[in-house]
Amino acid sequence: MNAGTGVPVVEGLHVQALQFPTDAPEADGTLAWDRTTMVLVEARGGGSTGLGYTYGDAATAHVVTGMLRDVVVGRPVSDPPAANEAMSRAVRNAGRPGLIAGAISAVDIALWDLKARHLGLPLADLLGRARTEVPVYGSGGFTTYGHGRLAEQLEGWAAQGITRFKIKIGEGWGTRERRDLDRTEQARARVGDDAELYVDANGAYTRKQALRIGRALAGLGVSWFEEPVSSDDLTGLAQLRDTLTADIAAGEYGYDLPYFARMIPAVDCLQADATRCGGITVWLRAAALAQAHGLQLSGHCAPHAHAHAATAVPNVRHLEWFHDHVRIEDLLFEGALDPSSGSVRPGRGGEPGLGLAIRADVAEQYRVHL
């Protein structure tokens, strides 16, 4: 509380890094990994504590303590956008894209959660709902999975009522096209003809490869082709968008709003990640930018960071129910959402903020000593 004005202010930021081993070796078309790191931020003020997070390197935590904390502490709890702008200006010479943007994002999400908790409102109610539920799609299907593991995962999502499914293709930087198609055929056979089937190449293919693969995927009813070429190749994305029947999607590596403005002419559906782009503040602006150009927005990964904000977006298409992040968020947080019937309904129980509470014993078990 500001002693002079009586206005609640941000009194402190606490940050920790948590590292979770994967439950099996994982890879996509261009990267392999065996652990996932979350940087978790708690913002205190006005008698409440808000939480936010990003996924990235543990060094992100040092950005929060070394560059952002002094910029945010002392600011009104009621003004997350002002704090977001101040953070963005403070990092100018350090370079915003990458883990610095992730740090800003985690703090911004924590500040929105703090404001909503201080007011005793679900964040969805604070922002104002344009919808009561948000569709999700099951995402995983890593290139390291054999037929049995892939089938198990697809069937697990279907048992939850999910009807949209995404798998990874582009294995080995696009060097295993036949296996990519075989795995997609297997996925279609498992989910049935009525389900929506998506693929994500993570930028592994060349333009000509992506065109060949995309035409073959059309025969399998694939309706979403994510990053068929590098997301930096806007010309290639636009050419594929104008040629293939599947929707071309990209945008997960957007670290600021101008990135999305450049990408919009190249995709059918814009992706944005609130844990990378600047938090809920910038994610909502990206949604408005997409709507102004007649496009839908899809939330990339970290579904519990997006769900409440997504209810405020009339043009949201869906959220990514990503295997790694769902597993971590279910383990770490009380109040995790239920995707039954293929949608989530954040804030319906009236819990304030994001409706999440950290399980302290789990956080301690996976904490990285910085």
Side-chain angles (χ1 to χ4, degrees), residues 61 76 144 252 333 346:
T144 44
E252 66 187 70
F333 298 134

Side-chain angles (χ1 to χ4, degrees), residues 20-365:
F20 298 84
T22 59
D23 57 2
E26 295 177 356
D28 55 34
T30 57
L31 187 69
W33 62 95
D34 61 7
R35 64 199 64 208
T36 299
T37 301
M38 170 193 279
V39 175
L40 180 65
V41 173
E42 294 172 87
R44 293 182 291 102
S48 298
T49 301
L51 68 88
Y53 59 95
T54 187
Y55 291 99
D57 194 272
T60 306
H62 296 297
V63 178
V64 176
T65 55
M67 300 185 69
L68 304 181
R69 183 157 56 194
D70 290 346
V71 175
V72 170
V73 170
R75 291 185 172 273
V77 167
S78 59
D79 295 337
N84 188 289
E85 181 66 15
M87 289 189 288
S88 296
R89 293 184 181 190
V91 303
R92 187 198 70 178
N93 287 350
R96 178 188 168 106
L99 62 83
I100 290 180
I104 292 173
S105 301
V107 174
D108 182 86
I109 295 166
L111 293 178
W112 277 107
D113 188 38
L114 174 62
K115 178 178 179 178
R117 288 175 189 265
H118 178 69
L119 295 173
L121 293 172
L123 181 56
D125 289 347
L126 173 62
L127 296 173
R129 297 177 189 266
R131 57 176 68 236
T132 58
E133 59 183 34
V134 184
V136 302
Y137 67 89
S139 172
F142 303 108
T143 58
T144 44
Y145 284 179
H147 286 333
R149 180 70 180 95
L150 178 59
E152 178 186 8
Q153 188 175 74
L154 294 169
E155 290 166 1
W157 289 326
Q160 290 181 286
I162 294 173
T163 59
R164 305 166 195 88
F165 307 85
K166 187 176 83 178
I167 68 167
K168 300 290 191 179
I169 61 172
E171 184 175 355
W173 284 91
T175 59
R176 304 195 67 185
E177 293 182 24
R178 184 62 260 168
R179 187 166 187 266
D180 292 338
L181 293 174
D182 285 346
R183 293 177 64 252
T184 310
E185 289 172 4
Q186 181 203 359
R188 172 54 76 193
R190 285 288 175 179
V191 303
D193 292 338
D194 294 333
E196 294 181 39
L197 182 59
Y198 303 164
V199 297
D200 181 359
N202 287 98
Y205 296 131
T206 65
R207 294 181 191 177
K208 286 291 183 68
Q209 271 188 304
L211 184 60
R212 289 195 304 271
I213 293 291
R215 286 173 171 163
L217 293 172
L220 296 171
V222 171
S223 57
W224 171 282
F225 197 172
E226 185 174 332
E227 288 190 324
V229 295
S230 169
S231 56
D232 294 326
D233 183 7
L234 298 181
T235 300
L237 288 171
Q239 289 174 346
L240 293 164
R241 178 205 59 195
D242 292 341
T243 305
L244 297 175
T245 56
D247 284 348
I248 302 300
E252 66 187 70
Y253 298 111
Y255 295 113
D256 55 31
L257 198 60
Y259 177 99
F260 300 115
R262 293 191 295 270
M263 177 154 283
I264 276 175
V267 297
D268 293 298
C269 185
L270 184 67
Q271 293 177 283
D273 188 329
T275 72
R276 291 177 177 172
C277 72
I280 289 169
T281 298
V282 179
W283 194 82
L284 291 172
R285 293 171 184 169
L289 184 64
Q291 186 179 16
H293 289 82
L295 295 184
Q296 292 180 310
L297 181 82
S298 179
H300 173 263
C301 287
H304 291 86
H306 289 92
H308 282 258
T311 66
V313 176
N315 59 314
V316 76
R317 182 162 178 171
H318 42 40
L319 300 179
E320 182 172 13
W321 202 250
F322 181 55
H323 172 72
D324 274 0
H325 295 176
V326 169
R327 186 176 60 85
I328 290 168
E329 292 165 22
D330 281 351
L331 178 65
L332 180 63
F333 298 134
E334 300 275 1
L337 296 167
D338 178 2
S340 60
S341 302
S343 296
V344 291
R345 299 158 189 82
R348 301 307 294 172
E351 300 85 357
L354 295 172
L356 303 174
I358 299 167
R359 292 186 172 109
D361 58 332
V362 175
E364 181 59 32
Q365 180 181 352

